[in-house]
Amino acid sequence: MRYISTRGETQPLSFQDAVITGLAPDGGLLLPETIPDVSARLDEWRDLGFVDLALEILPLYIDDIPRETLEELVRAAYGTFSHPEVVPLIPVGDVNVMELFHGPTLAFKDVALQLLGQLFEYILSRRGEHLNILGATSGDTGSAAIYGVHGLPEIDIFVMFPDGRVSELQELQMTTVADANVHCLAVQGSFDDCQNLMKTLFADLPFKNTYRLGAVNSVNWARVLAQIVYYCYASLKFSARPPATFFVPTGNFGNVFAGYLAKRMGFPIQRLVLATNENDILSVFFNTGVYQRGDVRFTVTPAMDIQVASNFERYLYYRLGEDSERLRRFMDDFSSTGRAALGSSARDEDFAAMAVDAKDTLSVIRRTYESHGYLLDPHTAVGLAAAEQVSATGPKICLATAHPAKFPEAVNKAVGADVAHHETLEALRGLPTRRTVIPANLDAVRDFLASHARR
Ligand SMILES: *Cc1c(COP(=O)(O)O)cnc(C)c1O
């Protein structure tokens, strides 16, 4: 399988090169040249566990790592999960909650980043190369990326996060990791500022090459790929008729885009429902066809406080008929005016979208705890609120993106009691921390990399 850029000006890449490259050199995002159709094989895969199913799906997209090696990497990645099923499905009322938070940092990003860490290590050690990973995080990506690569000899990781805008626990999960290859940067700005700094540095090709910068943000194809697997797994757990509808708490469009690919591969998926918080740019787009930037609002679901969704371009590429010219015009309009619109009708049968405000989010947490004794994190609650309001003919599956103990203030407030705990997190308190505060400008990040990155 080869990988092409949405912007159409990059020579097709192998899987390994796609993983190391992250963002394509032409500024686009990488996608597989074709999407395999597996509809004829679904019955034989129905009873597989998560890891065994991953070992069927991943080789369809990875043809430059020997099968036995890939199996070792996948088993190592998911061996760090504390639940025997890795991603268990829990019935909560008439919705099935898929718990994606049993990895080391208790958020769904571990599903992708534990595998990405293994892939990086394998590729770099074979090539005898070193990589400086630069990432931006609104909280969960940073710690999940750090836990994916800490202590690896071929990698340094630099994580920018908005100072004071990630929860105390999220910050502790990053800054308590003692390995010398981990560098935490508290940026005096918003998550969008961090993400823009990162994008600008990756677009500066001489700089990117000098410092051998690699990406772990959801622009990295391997992350999307790892996430495809749990949609496949969940959709096969139910009888295919009528197919399942997924409710996905959405920020960067990375998670839900993986579901879109699973559907295109032929897995029994009726629809993907995007659930956003008050930062509703995606929900407005799917309801009107207008993609318009607003100001970032800070909510009880900080991992979704995003206006410009980095993975949306991958979807747009398909939506615009795999036409890189049209895509580039759309993105240019958007970056110069903050607005772009689809000329044709806005509806896409594969998707529905709704925005959920903080009041409804907290009330869903309270009601779900009272009626079912099940504790939701606020992000998952946004998904469940959508599942309560959007009808579906088949089973409803809501993706649980974090353990409630990662967001104790909101959860305890909603329930009115001190209920959100996890031993992994309690153990962080009192550990020594390391971080560097820098202003939200390019020179500051460049200087830090110049003095700390290995060449
Ligand atoms: C990252 C994250 C999201 C949003 O995922 P995207 O792939 O950016 O849409 C939702 N919930 C939690 C807890 C997260 O960490």
Side-chain angles (χ1 to χ4, degrees):
M1 179 69 79
R2 297 196 310 165
Y3 291 87
I4 54 168
S5 166
T6 50
R7 305 282 174 114
E9 288 177 356
T10 296
Q11 285 298 316
L13 300 174
S14 68
F15 174 77
Q16 290 193 25
D17 286 335
V19 172
I20 298 296
T21 304
L23 198 68
D26 62 10
L29 279 78
L30 294 167
L31 281 169
E33 226 164 21
T34 56
I35 299 173
D37 179 351
V38 297
S39 26
R41 306 194 55 190
L42 300 185
D43 280 333
E44 66 184 273
W45 290 347
R46 212 166 274 285
D47 297 324
L48 295 183
F50 176 79
V51 168
D52 289 327
L53 184 62
L55 293 172
E56 298 293 331
I57 309 283
L58 300 178
L60 302 170
Y61 293 95
I62 305 175
D63 55 12
D64 54 359
I65 299 179
R67 222 193 152 86
E68 314 72 62
T69 309
L70 186 59
E71 173 159 359
E72 281 166 27
L73 302 180
V74 170
R75 291 202 187 279
Y78 298 117
T80 64
F81 278 58
S82 63
H83 197 285
E85 287 170 54
V86 186
V87 289
L89 275 157
I90 314 290
V92 177
D94 63 359
V95 179
N96 300 281
V97 174
M98 184 170 221
E99 294 184 344
L100 301 173
F101 54 68
H102 293 284
T105 73
L106 312 181
F108 91 98
K109 294 182 174 74
D110 288 327
V111 178
L113 285 162
Q114 286 295 307
L115 182 63
L116 185 58
Q118 295 291 327
L119 290 167
F120 271 139
E121 179 177 66
Y122 168 77
I123 298 169
L124 293 169
S125 61
R126 271 176 41 103
R127 295 183 177 185
E129 288 177 3
H130 184 84
L131 198 65
N132 292 301
I133 290 172
L134 177 63
T137 184
S138 57
D140 290 335
T141 307
S143 55
I146 287 169
Y147 274 82
V149 304
H150 69 105
L152 296 182
E154 301 84 1
I155 293 177
D156 273 81
I157 181 165
F158 299 82
V159 174
M160 297 183 277
F161 61 89
D163 191 16
R165 301 234 169 94
V166 301
S167 79
E168 181 203 353
L169 283 171
Q170 286 177 321
E171 184 161 335
L172 280 176
Q173 283 186 300
M174 295 188 274
T175 57
T176 55
V177 178
D179 302 80
N181 71 333
V182 174
H183 312 271
C184 297
L185 300 176
V187 174
Q188 296 168 311
S190 68
F191 171 61
D192 276 359
D193 291 333
C194 296
Q195 193 150 263
N196 285 333
L197 287 166
M198 185 192 74
K199 283 187 183 158
T200 309
L201 287 172
F202 274 100
D204 179 348
L205 293 186
F207 187 85
K208 182 183 173 191
N209 293 334
T210 305
Y211 290 101
R212 295 211 42 83
L213 293 187
V216 287
N217 279 73
S218 54
V219 299
N220 196 301
W221 162 251
R223 282 189 58 182
V224 175
L225 175 57
Q227 291 170 182
I228 292 174
V229 179
Y230 52 74
Y231 286 92
C232 305
Y233 177 72
S235 73
L236 292 179
K237 288 279 164 223
F238 302 92
S239 81
R241 246 161 262 175
T245 295
F246 282 87
F247 295 85
V248 188
T250 304
N252 259 317
F253 206 80
N255 194 356
V256 71
F257 179 73
Y260 174 72
L261 291 180
K263 180 165 167 47
R264 287 184 63 131
M265 289 171 74
F267 285 91
I269 297 171
Q270 178 94 46
R271 237 181 1 162
L272 299 154
V273 181
L274 289 86
T276 69
N277 61 24
E278 290 103 321
N279 295 289
D280 59 356
I281 176 170
L282 288 169
S283 119
V284 169
F285 173 82
F286 280 99
N287 289 302
T288 66
V290 176
Y291 191 55
Q292 181 158 14
R293 192 200 306 262
D295 291 329
V296 180
R297 296 170 61 180
F298 299 107
T299 70
V300 293
T301 44
M304 298 169 9
D305 289 345
I306 289 165
Q307 281 289 331
V308 181
S310 49
N311 259 286
F312 185 62
E313 174 162 340
R314 285 193 161 109
Y315 163 72
L316 264 183
Y317 175 76
Y318 291 113
R319 185 65 194 274
L320 297 174
E322 306 184 24
D323 181 340
S324 295
E325 273 304 310
R326 280 181 74 196
L327 174 79
R328 220 171 309 129
R329 277 201 302 277
F330 189 100
M331 296 310 288
D332 287 348
D333 276 356
F334 181 70
S335 60
S336 57
T337 67
R339 183 183 192 280
L342 284 187
S344 50
S345 139
R347 294 268 164 217
D348 180 334
E349 297 292 305
D350 292 340
F351 289 95
M354 68 174 283
V356 177
D357 66 19
K359 190 167 140 286
D360 285 349
T361 304
L362 297 180
S363 114
V364 166
I365 295 175
R366 190 187 63 248
R367 280 188 285 110
T368 306
Y369 188 64
E370 283 169 0
S371 324
H372 305 289
Y374 188 85
L375 199 57
L376 297 162
D377 106 279
H379 305 80
T380 309
V382 167
L384 204 71
E388 286 180 351
Q389 289 177 53
V390 177
S391 63
T393 47
K396 291 181 171 180
I397 300 169
C398 175
L399 299 184
T401 52
H403 189 282
K406 286 198 87 166
F407 302 93
E409 293 84 4
V411 172
N412 291 340
K413 179 176 161 209
V415 170
D418 183 14
V419 286
H421 294 282
H422 194 289
E423 57 192 0
T424 304
L425 297 175
E426 326 265 280
L428 299 177
R429 296 192 190 280
L431 292 179
T433 61
R434 288 181 308 140
R435 50 170 246 168
T436 305
V437 180
I438 61 167
N441 69 57
L442 272 178
D443 286 340
V445 187
R446 278 210 184 92
D447 288 349
F448 191 88
L449 283 169
S451 53
H452 293 82
R454 272 191 282 164
R455 301 250 209 133

